Amino acid sequence: GESVGLHLPTLSVQEGDNSIINCAYSNSASDYFIWYKQESGKGPQFIIDIRSNMDKRQGQRVTVLLNKTVKHLSLQIAATQPGDSAVYFCAEEETSGSRLTFGEGTQLTVNP
Amino acid sequence: GAVVSQHPSRVICKSGTSVKIECRSLDFQATTMFWYRQFPKQSLMLMATSNEGSKATYEQGVEKDKFLINHASLTLSTLTVTSAHPEDSSFYICSAYGYGYTFGSGTRLTVV
């Protein structure tokens, strides 16, 4: 179902620290998961994705972990930079090209 | 890479008038396009899904007569907010599915 929230959870880190952003998804039938970054006044920007047959995937400075048992997804950002400050959303898909359902989002603030 | 162009980026309209938002896939053909609405500090909520040449499928609670969607070609979908009211003020985002999901940059609608 849709995710609705009245406020965004926040995470504040120091520049250079590692950040971990968590997401609980709702549909056990979801097969594909994506992390997006959204800056103020802009559309979501793809960061990294993972399919349900994997439990970890790494990109440049980012790692996504998937725990299907507890329906939990996390995004790890290494050596966080001020430019990483944004809202991060996880999204889940059940069938290819059908629809994406977004999580509630987390506001990441990186302090210099 | 895949690019989706969304216009206008910002629009202010008077209450009772209609506003059209365009979403174009520039370098790929989109089998499906999606329209989302996002209120401040909240997640993206799917409004409707449209396939070229067929009627859009609206999410529960979304008025199809108020939010008219036309998907005339594989590269263009439009969302028309009819008889807009201040409560329709929001950030509208389109997404095109072709090579994965590609998002537009969003449209900030303000109804005065």
Side-chain angles (χ1 to χ4, degrees):
Chain A
E2 298 293 339
S3 174
V4 178
L6 297 179
H7 66 278
L8 288 173
T10 59
L11 174 65
S12 184
V13 300
Q14 291 297 123
E15 181 178 359
D17 287 353
N18 297 332
S19 302
I20 299 177
I21 299 171
N22 297 302
C23 175
Y25 63 93
S26 56
N27 186 354
S28 57
S30 290
D31 180 58
Y32 177 56
F33 305 87
I34 309 173
W35 278 101
Y36 288 96
K37 173 186 180 182
Q38 186 181 29
E39 296 174 300
S40 182
K42 297 183 179 180
Q45 175 188 353
F46 175 93
I47 300 174
I48 192 168
D49 59 359
I50 189 168
R51 295 211 169 269
S52 61
N53 61 351
M54 304 175 68
D55 52 22
K56 180 179 181 179
R57 190 155 188 243
Q58 288 184 294
Q60 187 177 11
R61 282 203 307 121
V62 294
T63 300
V64 54
L65 299 177
L66 173 63
N67 185 329
K68 296 183 288 295
T69 302
V70 295
K71 293 189 287 188
H72 184 267
L73 202 63
S74 69
L75 175 70
Q76 300 178 0
I77 305 175
T80 316
Q81 303 167 359
D84 295 328
S85 293
V87 178
Y88 290 81
F89 292 98
C90 67
E92 58 184 299
E93 176 199 74
E94 181 176 339
T95 307
S96 180
S98 59
R99 56 187 287 165
L100 286 179
T101 301
F102 282 78
E104 64 177 344
T106 297
Q107 172 74 60
L108 174 66
T109 301
V110 182
N111 302 306
Chain B
V3 177
V4 169
S5 174
Q6 184 175 342
H7 291 283
S9 57
R10 289 178 176 271
V11 58
I12 300 173
C13 71
K14 291 185 177 180
S15 187
T17 62
S18 296
V19 173
K20 181 185 285 189
I21 303 169
E22 286 192 353
C23 180
R24 293 182 183 270
S25 55
L26 297 186
D27 49 4
F28 67 100
Q29 293 186 329
T31 55
T32 308
M33 288 190 174
F34 305 89
W35 288 95
Y36 291 84
R37 178 168 53 184
Q38 185 178 32
F39 292 107
K41 297 195 181 301
Q42 291 190 25
S43 187
L44 284 74
M45 295 185 64
L46 182 65
M47 298 174 66
T49 301
S50 72
N51 294 292
E52 183 260 343
S54 62
K55 290 184 178 180
T57 302
Y58 290 82
E59 295 298 300
Q60 190 172 8
V62 178
E63 301 175 57
K64 63 180 182 180
D65 294 330
K66 181 170 185 61
F67 298 99
L68 300 179
I69 292 172
N70 184 285
H71 194 158
S73 75
L74 286 172
T75 60
L76 174 65
S77 177
T78 61
L79 168 67
T80 301
V81 183
T82 63
S83 187
H85 291 285
E87 57 265 31
D88 299 323
S89 298
S90 189
F91 192 55
Y92 292 86
I93 308 170
C94 72
S95 173
Y97 185 81
Y99 300 108
Y101 298 89
T102 305
F103 285 82
S105 53
T107 297
R108 173 73 59 194
L109 171 63
T110 303
V111 185
V112 298

